[in-house]
Amino acid sequence: MNLEAFQAFAADNQWGVLWPELSMALLAVLLLVIDLFAAPLRKSVIPALALGGQAVILVILVLSFGCAAVGDYFSQMVNLTTLGQVFRVFFVLTSLLVCYVGWVYLQRQNLPRTEFFALTIMIAAGMMILGNASNFVMLFVALETVTIGFYVMVAYARHSPYSLEGGLKYLIMGALSTSLLLFGIVLLYGAAGNPSLPHYTGDGLSYANLNNFIVANPDNLLVLVGAALVLCAICFKIGAVPFQIWIPDVYQGAPTPVTAFLAVGSKAAGFVVLINLLRGPFAALEAFTFPLLAAICAVTILFGNLTALGQRNVKRVIGMSGIAHAGYLLLGVLALIKGVDWAVWAIVFYLFTYLFGSFAIFGVMAHLAGPDDENQELEHYQNLAKNQPFLAGVLAIGLGSLAGIPPLAGFIGKLLLFIAAFEARLYSLLGVAIIGVVISIYYYFGWIREAYFKTLEVPPDEASGETARPYPHPRSLSLAHRLLLGALAAFTVLLGIYQGAFGSSPF
Amino acid sequence: MDPSQILTAILLTPLVSAAIICLFLRRGGYVAAAVSVIAAFVILVLSFYWLFNWDGMEYTCGDSALTILQFGGFEVNIGYLFNYEAATMLAVVAFVGFWIHVFSVGYMDDDKDKGRFFGGLSIFMFSMLGIVLADNLFMIFIFWELVGFSSYMLIAHYWDKDFAADASKKAFIVNRIGDFGFLVGIVWAYHFYGTADISAITEIIHNDPTKAIDGIGLLLMCGFVGKSAQFPLQVWLTDAMAGPTPVSALIHAATMVAAGIYFMVRIFALLTDFTLDWILWSGAIMTTFAGFCALGQTDIKKSLAYSTLAHLGYMASAIGLGFPGLAIMHMAMHACFKATLFLCSGSVIHACHHEQDMFKMGGLFKKMPITAIAFFVATLSISAVPFTAGYYSKDTIIASSWGLYAANHEGIYLAAFILTMLGALLTALYMGRMFFVVFLGKSNGHGAQHAKESSFWMTVPLIVLGWILSLGAGWFVQNGLDGTWADGKMTALIPTDVAHFMVDGFHGEHNGWEGAHEIYEEAHAPWVEYISYACIIGGFAFCWFFYGRGAPEDRLQKSAPGIYHVLERHGWFDDLYDWYVAHVQQRFANILGVLDLLLISGLAVRGTASVAGLVGLVCRSLHVGSLHAYVYWFLLGVLIFWAFAFGIL
């Protein structure tokens, strides 16, 4: 390769476009370096630097939103889109909140701290690239960055058998899904490279080339089999039936902040990949993807909600309800397939409401968890409203939002998705979704009822005559915690009342 | 400031006061009282500033109305409609409201819950002003319910007493019955006219009188019947006297109960002849019926409450006769003298250590001269003694009903004339009885023997409302507002159909009240006027001799217990309603309760819940925890996806 050709090849390697991902990665490395060389600073500096650094990145990212030119970079490895940029903000925000919950969590645990923050930030950087990947190689590398990070994080509480069990299960299931993804990619690449077919391409990994090929050969069996395998791997990420099976065990075993990261970040990453694929190379496969995803959507909504009904462990409840939320989001994806273009913004809005609602709940959970983080039962929340009215209020707002109660953000999120589905004429799925919402109110409000209305009858201790408090709630909460949790609750209320541009998108 | 800003400031001032008291001053005592009184003063100043600057033209804020709710083409707006009836009502609410606030400071001095009381008064002022200014039916309904709530809250001020709690519940439920019809009427009106805006509806009917239909008018009248305690929903008002006396004066005499009348005047264009006849009958009968009932009470406040019912009947009669302006004028005059009477009774009750039985008072004239004189003036005024406030409005209503009869010879007007005239005689009777028994003679009870004149806070409002307004308000409106006072700016306060009051078929030289009385002369029946004087004088004289001064017991009760019992039970309406609730409604509710338990709760709720729970159990058991099983799940999933790919599924 001569020099000129190389220069031409490298001309679109504009590293500046990837500054948020790079700065996240550098921040993670910086944390590790400080840990290595300035060990005394570990306790004080590292959480502050992790939170502060991400906050700075988030602020710059939001302020500079739209500055980077949309288009292809790195030889079509990266395709920067507005959607990808929105998801960058989403993932930085997620990672920031995970670090906050993790900070609360780690204060109660005898575990190394620096690695937690570094891994979280690294995973977030991987997710951010994932949102803009336009090549299967890029997709695979980014996805593996995320997944391998999660293998470690799920098993982070290494003295806890639950965490280790969850980690092992996630490792094996994740490896299985990765292998399925890889098989799928290889099949697509192989089919696209067949010179006997029209529009065959030597670079079947690039979305654009693959799209050209699939448009010309939508009924090729090899393509369909490959696409099915890729969708299997994505359904594993978003936790859709039948690839939801790992969720309860892993969610329960993982430390609370990691559960939050899995529930919000991993799910959103899965959806952004799904949207990119369905709008890109798989657009021509509508005849296959639509019935498949429609069936999965219906089953996922019902399965998630019904399974959540009987759970007593709050992390399993959250996990199961997360399956149902993936089902609602699939409704938006289906509307998108059917040509309702603004459905993608309904999905984004829903994910943001889900983010605020979920982290409000996870924040409360982290504050209430004892040393055995994985066994949080609904009973632990009894009398919460009496002892900790602030936490109970945040919890109620978060749960209300997830249940979709007006005027909270979750209601508008569901409304937008349902309007999109209505425009796409998905009436029977809409019926299923509404049944699902009704069921979900039962278990969400069951939780609120524990916190607000149930008083635990504790027989007085005969020796001392005092009533023992079996599940001690923290006595006080510092101002910083109050501000952050209050802000999450406030956003949830605010987005329910004012949606900015999102509110007018369907009209 | 432009008009809508002033009106918004008037409306929001009491809300701000209520919010401050509710958030910070719930145990605030006199601080809460101060906030509330200052708010009332600000309302007074702003209202009269606005009235003096108003040009007398109807004001609407039109498109600048604030939309608070929108579903497609349906909007709920907050907007203002300001015309003569709103002007009079605003003046009354602001002026009487302020003085009653002042009175309350003195009256509630020994109360522990001043914060709750004064917060409630501020909420009431907010709701009442909302009704006064509202320009559409939905907004009226919202504030209509808010006055209902504040009335409920203030009646139950002594919530630890059973009778107060029961009375507030009764007031609320009875009002709900009326409001149901009201709401149906609003929905119908919106459906029929395509708008809920009052001036727009008036315009539509003005262009096409056939658009006024009986059904809508009668349904909207239900709201008036509930709020103004007219037949058959009159039962709540006397019980509502369980609240503190300033509340009785402000809400249950001067303003809220008159809101029903005010609303009927606002939608007067909507009312058909049939509806007006209905209103006239019920109003005229109420003047007499309530008058009789007032004679059967020993509790001073309950007796006054019946008097309020009777005078609301007069206002309803004026509407029924077709003179809405006259009804508004009587409302204003009534607000002056009835507020005075209630405040005097409050002053007396306070001085007698919360003794409310008239026959345990007596001889208070010497002990409480300021209160007694105010009460005396208001008594003359309510009995329509010439040139007192009540004479100008009440006697005009009687005269106009006779005038309509003389002009048309329709029986309904004759009946209305006889009933209202009888009502006037009864007014003289029960008011004379009350004044002689309470203030003259010697003291009968322990409380009365040690009574002292009330404090400055209570006597000043009595002097303003009693000595001055009850005496001179009518004369002032008649002679002062004819274009000379304040450069004629306040002329708009007099309703035009009162200023130019004239019954068709008569051609008197004078307009207004004088014109009304000229009807007698023109019809060659001056004796009618003498009857009304005879009623007043005869009524007072009868009481002087029959009940006696400072009597320790009711002579009617002693000499004719049967008659007294009939009056005391006020027509057994309460017993009838109690029987209905206990024997009809309760049984029906029980049947529904069983159905609910079986069908809704049992089958629909528990049934679906158990199905969902069962399916959930099955789903949950799929998560066995075994890694092998999970891997097979994945393989199964891949197979299903492939089945879709091959088009099998």
Side-chain angles (χ1 to χ4, degrees):
Chain A
M1 200 179 279
N2 61 33
L3 189 64
E4 276 183 13
F6 188 75
Q7 275 176 339
F9 180 74
D12 59 353
N13 286 8
Q14 293 180 20
W15 291 97
V17 169
L18 293 183
W19 73 264
E21 287 84 356
L22 293 176
S23 46
M24 289 287 274
L26 283 176
L27 181 62
V29 173
L30 183 64
L31 292 178
L32 292 177
V33 169
I34 292 176
D35 185 57
L36 197 59
F37 293 109
L41 297 178
R42 266 180 205 167
K43 271 208 148 160
S44 53
V45 170
I46 282 179
L49 189 64
L51 290 169
Q54 289 183 89
V56 170
I57 293 173
L58 181 66
V59 168
I60 299 176
L61 199 56
V62 170
L63 291 181
S64 70
F65 190 84
C67 287
V70 170
D72 287 327
Y73 297 97
F74 297 97
S75 316
Q76 296 191 349
M77 282 285 181
V78 171
N79 177 20
L80 199 63
T81 58
T82 315
L83 182 69
Q85 284 174 309
V86 173
F87 270 101
R88 271 179 173 172
V89 176
F90 183 89
F91 291 130
V92 175
L93 188 58
T94 309
S95 150
L96 179 63
L97 291 170
V98 169
C99 288
Y100 163 71
V101 179
W103 177 45
V104 175
Y105 166 80
L106 289 170
Q107 281 171 345
R108 301 214 171 78
Q109 303 286 342
N110 183 21
L111 288 171
R113 303 184 176 205
T114 318
E115 291 85 344
F116 182 90
F117 295 111
L119 276 171
T120 304
I121 295 170
M122 275 297 189
I123 291 174
M127 288 175 174
M128 288 158 77
I129 291 184
L130 208 55
N132 291 313
S134 64
N135 187 302
F136 273 117
V137 172
M138 198 72 200
L139 174 80
F140 186 76
V141 171
L143 200 62
E144 281 311 283
T145 315
V146 173
T147 313
I148 292 173
F150 270 126
Y151 294 153
V152 183
M153 294 204 51
V154 171
Y156 200 81
R158 54 187 180 208
H159 51 259
S160 153
Y162 286 95
S163 183
L164 292 178
E165 182 192 331
L168 185 67
K169 281 180 177 167
Y170 191 68
L171 174 67
I172 291 175
M173 293 288 128
L176 194 55
S177 107
T178 303
S179 65
L180 293 177
L181 175 69
L182 212 48
F183 278 136
I185 292 173
V186 166
L187 285 174
L188 288 170
Y189 180 75
N194 186 343
S196 62
L197 292 174
H199 290 280
Y200 79 93
T201 170
D203 181 14
L205 293 174
S206 146
Y207 284 8
N209 294 340
L210 193 61
N211 191 24
N212 281 335
F213 172 75
I214 292 180
V215 167
N217 308 279
D219 301 324
N220 187 304
L221 202 57
L222 217 50
V223 169
L224 288 174
V225 169
L229 286 174
V230 171
L231 289 180
C232 284
I234 295 171
C235 284
F236 166 78
K237 276 279 162 212
I238 63 177
V241 178
F243 299 98
Q244 91 299 351
I245 196 75
W246 55 280
I247 281 185
D249 291 354
V250 173
Y251 274 31
Q252 187 189 356
T256 304
V258 180
T259 311
F261 206 7
L262 276 174
V264 179
S266 188
K267 200 184 296 290
F271 271 99
V272 69
V273 171
L274 186 62
I275 291 170
N276 281 341
L277 284 176
L278 288 174
R279 294 211 299 190
F282 294 172
L285 298 178
E286 190 195 318
F288 156 60
T289 52
F290 182 77
L292 173 68
L293 291 178
I296 287 180
C297 169
V299 176
T300 304
I301 291 173
L302 289 178
F303 186 92
N305 281 318
L306 287 170
T307 318
L309 275 183
Q311 305 285 0
R312 299 302 293 172
N313 183 298
V314 291
K315 288 169 94 175
R316 289 178 96 95
V317 171
I318 282 284
M320 288 311 183
S321 81
I323 295 175
H325 285 288
Y328 304 137
L329 286 161
L330 276 176
L331 203 58
V333 173
L334 286 164
L336 189 65
I337 295 177
K338 279 288 172 195
V340 183
D341 279 334
W342 64 264
V344 68
W345 300 114
I347 295 173
V348 170
F349 185 79
Y350 193 88
L351 281 170
F352 269 99
T353 66
Y354 183 62
L355 170 104
F356 289 123
S358 295
F359 275 101
I361 298 169
F362 280 114
V364 174
M365 280 166 66
H367 278 288
L368 295 182
D372 53 340
D373 172 68
E374 58 280 334
N375 283 327
Q376 282 202 55
E377 305 291 323
L378 285 176
E379 283 78 14
H380 296 203
Y381 288 80
Q382 280 169 351
N383 285 329
L384 182 64
K386 212 182 288 171
N387 301 328
Q388 277 286 349
F390 176 78
L391 285 183
V394 173
L395 182 75
I397 288 175
L399 287 172
S401 179
L402 290 194
I405 303 300
L408 301 172
F411 169 73
I412 302 291
K414 283 202 173 64
L415 189 68
L416 289 175
L417 279 182
F418 288 178
I419 293 173
F422 186 81
E423 280 189 14
R425 299 166 180 278
L426 307 172
Y427 303 126
S428 45
L429 281 179
L430 212 50
V432 172
I434 288 168
I435 292 173
V437 171
V438 171
I439 298 174
S440 77
I441 288 173
Y442 177 78
Y443 56 80
Y444 284 129
F445 275 54
W447 196 342
I448 294 178
R449 189 179 60 150
E450 294 284 345
Y452 273 85
F453 301 114
K454 267 200 176 170
T455 46
L456 193 59
E457 298 290 332
V458 182
D461 193 329
E462 284 178 16
S464 62
E466 289 174 7
T467 53
R469 288 171 40 78
Y471 307 117
H473 297 142
R475 271 288 157 213
S476 65
L477 220 54
S478 74
L479 186 66
H481 292 304
R482 278 173 188 271
L483 277 180
L484 208 138
L485 289 176
L488 287 172
F491 268 117
T492 302
V493 176
L494 202 68
L495 282 177
I497 297 164
Y498 178 74
Q499 296 88 31
F502 287 108
S504 54
S505 55
F507 304 108
Chain B
M1 287 203 292
D2 73 77
S4 81
Q5 283 173 332
I6 299 176
L7 294 177
T8 306
I10 292 172
L11 183 59
L12 291 186
T13 304
L15 184 64
V16 170
S17 151
I20 291 173
I21 294 172
C22 174
L23 291 175
F24 308 115
L25 297 172
R26 268 170 300 190
R27 313 211 175 283
Y30 281 113
V31 186
V35 170
S36 187
V37 172
I38 289 169
F41 183 69
V42 171
I43 295 167
L44 180 67
V45 171
L46 285 173
S47 299
F48 277 86
Y49 171 77
W50 159 245
L51 287 169
F52 276 110
N53 285 292
W54 183 47
D55 54 10
M57 305 299 288
E58 184 171 289
Y59 169 77
T60 54
C61 62
D63 292 339
S64 65
L66 174 73
T67 303
I68 53 169
L69 211 62
Q70 187 176 11
F71 300 111
F74 170 76
E75 285 181 351
V76 175
N77 293 321
I78 296 289
Y80 307 123
L81 167 66
F82 201 79
N83 49 14
Y84 83 81
E85 69 252 15
T88 315
M89 195 79 187
L90 180 65
V92 168
V93 172
F95 192 83
V96 177
F98 170 69
W99 287 110
I100 292 177
H101 271 75
V102 172
F103 182 89
S104 305
V105 177
Y107 187 80
M108 301 304 280
D109 58 356
D110 53 355
D111 196 279
K112 284 193 287 293
D113 288 318
K114 290 191 189 65
R116 185 154 52 81
F117 177 80
F118 281 97
L121 278 189
S122 283
I123 289 200
F124 170 75
M125 290 297 275
F126 167 66
S127 335
M128 190 64 214
L129 288 166
I131 293 183
V132 173
L133 299 175
D135 74 337
N136 65 71
L137 297 174
F138 293 113
M139 181 177 167
I140 289 188
F141 188 76
I142 293 169
F143 285 99
W144 196 265
E145 293 304 309
L146 278 173
V147 282
F149 160 72
S150 38
S151 158
Y152 170 80
M153 174 180 170
L154 287 166
I155 294 171
H157 181 74
Y158 306 116
W159 52 271
D160 48 352
K161 306 269 194 303
D162 280 346
F163 65 90
D166 290 345
S168 66
K169 208 160 63 184
K170 183 171 175 183
F172 198 78
I173 292 171
V174 172
N175 266 296
R176 293 296 319 153
I177 295 170
D179 291 348
F180 176 73
F182 186 26
L183 189 60
V184 174
I186 290 175
V187 173
W188 189 357
Y190 180 74
H191 176 72
F192 189 74
Y193 299 112
T195 174
D197 193 81
I198 292 168
S199 37
I201 292 177
T202 308
E203 181 80 24
I204 289 170
I205 293 172
H206 185 71
N207 293 331
D208 179 9
T210 57
K211 287 250 181 186
I213 49 178
D214 290 338
I216 295 177
L218 286 174
L219 281 170
L220 292 178
M221 197 187 81
C222 290
F224 148 74
V225 166
K227 199 61 78 194
S228 292
Q230 291 299 296
F231 177 83
L233 300 179
Q234 77 279 24
V235 290
W236 68 269
L237 187 62
T238 38
D239 286 28
M241 295 301 126
T245 309
V247 169
S248 308
L250 178 61
I251 301 184
H252 303 118
T255 57
M256 185 190 84
V257 288
I261 299 290
Y262 174 75
F263 175 63
M264 286 288 104
V265 173
R266 285 229 131 175
I267 59 158
F268 188 72
L270 253 169
L271 305 176
T272 56
D273 288 344
F274 177 77
T275 317
L276 288 177
D277 284 353
W278 180 280
I279 294 175
L280 179 57
W281 274 115
S282 88
I285 292 173
M286 188 54 81
T287 59
T288 312
F289 170 72
F292 276 118
C293 294
L295 286 171
Q297 298 295 328
T298 54
D299 183 324
I300 183 168
K301 284 179 71 182
K302 288 204 167 172
S303 196
L304 284 173
Y306 279 111
S307 160
T308 304
L309 281 179
H311 283 266
L312 289 166
Y314 276 105
M315 297 175 213
S317 305
I319 293 175
L321 292 168
F323 301 112
L326 195 54
I328 287 292
M329 243 25 251
H330 191 51
M331 186 276 297
M333 299 302 139
H334 175 254
C336 296
F337 59 68
K338 187 53 65 66
T340 307
L341 290 172
F342 267 110
L343 293 185
C344 288
S345 77
S347 174
V348 167
I349 290 166
H350 192 256
C352 295
H353 305 288
H354 296 280
E355 177 58 72
Q356 302 202 20
D357 189 339
M358 284 188 268
F359 294 94
K360 295 206 171 109
M361 296 173 180
L364 292 173
F365 198 100
K366 284 184 210 113
K367 297 189 171 88
M368 306 175 71
I370 301 174
T371 306
I373 290 170
F375 196 94
F376 179 67
V377 172
T379 301
L380 296 183
S381 187
I382 195 175
S383 309
V385 170
F387 309 111
T388 57
Y391 168 73
Y392 286 92
S393 53
K394 185 175 170 179
D395 225 35
T396 309
I397 293 172
I398 300 172
S400 58
S401 63
W402 194 84
L404 282 174
Y405 167 68
N408 302 328
H409 291 288
E410 284 183 34
I412 181 170
Y413 297 124
L414 181 63
F417 168 70
I418 293 171
L419 286 168
T420 48
M421 189 60 105
L422 191 54
L425 172 66
L426 288 163
T427 309
L429 283 175
Y430 61 72
M431 286 315 300
R433 164 179 179 251
M434 198 180 294
F435 182 75
F436 296 145
V437 166
V438 172
F439 288 99
L440 301 183
K442 59 176 188 356
S443 304
N444 296 313
H446 180 75
Q449 279 159 9
H450 299 276
K452 282 200 288 285
E453 184 57 277
S454 301
S455 71
F456 175 73
W457 288 104
M458 289 153 83
T459 49
V460 171
L462 288 180
I463 291 169
V464 172
L465 289 173
W467 292 25
I468 301 172
L469 281 179
S470 296
L471 190 62
W475 181 87
F476 171 71
V477 173
Q478 167 81 351
N479 298 299
L481 292 188
D482 56 356
T484 51
W485 191 67
D487 297 334
K489 275 182 179 157
M490 297 291 272
T491 311
L493 266 185
I494 323 174
T496 43
D497 65 337
V498 173
H500 306 289
F501 176 83
M502 193 65 65
V503 176
D504 286 343
F506 289 90
H507 312 283
E509 288 175 10
H510 294 90
N511 290 330
W513 289 280
E514 288 174 32
H517 290 275
E518 281 174 4
I519 289 173
Y520 296 137
E521 288 164 25
E522 235 186 286
H524 305 294
W527 48 271
V528 182
E529 192 139 28
Y530 303 147
I531 294 182
S532 73
Y533 298 147
C535 283
I536 299 167
I537 296 166
F540 283 143
F542 178 79
C543 289
W544 177 274
F545 294 112
F546 184 74
Y547 288 105
R549 280 76 64 205
E553 59 191 351
D554 193 324
R555 196 171 148 194
L556 183 67
Q557 189 176 16
K558 206 171 149 202
S559 53
I563 297 174
Y564 185 84
H565 185 67
V566 173
L567 299 179
E568 193 184 17
R569 301 303 300 168
H570 49 85
W572 287 279
F573 274 103
D574 273 337
D575 307 77
L576 185 69
Y577 292 163
D578 282 348
W579 181 88
Y580 163 77
V581 169
H583 289 92
V584 181
Q585 187 178 306
Q586 188 60 39
R587 284 182 188 168
F588 185 62
N590 285 341
I591 293 170
L592 285 186
V594 171
L595 287 182
D596 175 81
L597 201 66
L598 288 179
L599 296 180
I600 311 283
S601 172
L603 206 64
V605 176
R606 305 269 164 211
T608 49
S610 50
V611 169
L614 213 63
V615 177
L617 211 63
V618 173
C619 293
R620 197 147 51 100
S621 64
L622 295 175
H623 294 259
V624 285
S626 153
L627 203 49
H628 297 85
Y630 288 2
V631 172
Y632 285 117
W633 261 90
F634 263 48
L635 295 181
L636 180 73
V638 172
L639 287 178
I640 293 171
F641 273 46
W642 275 345
F644 272 97
F646 290 119
I648 298 170
L649 276 176

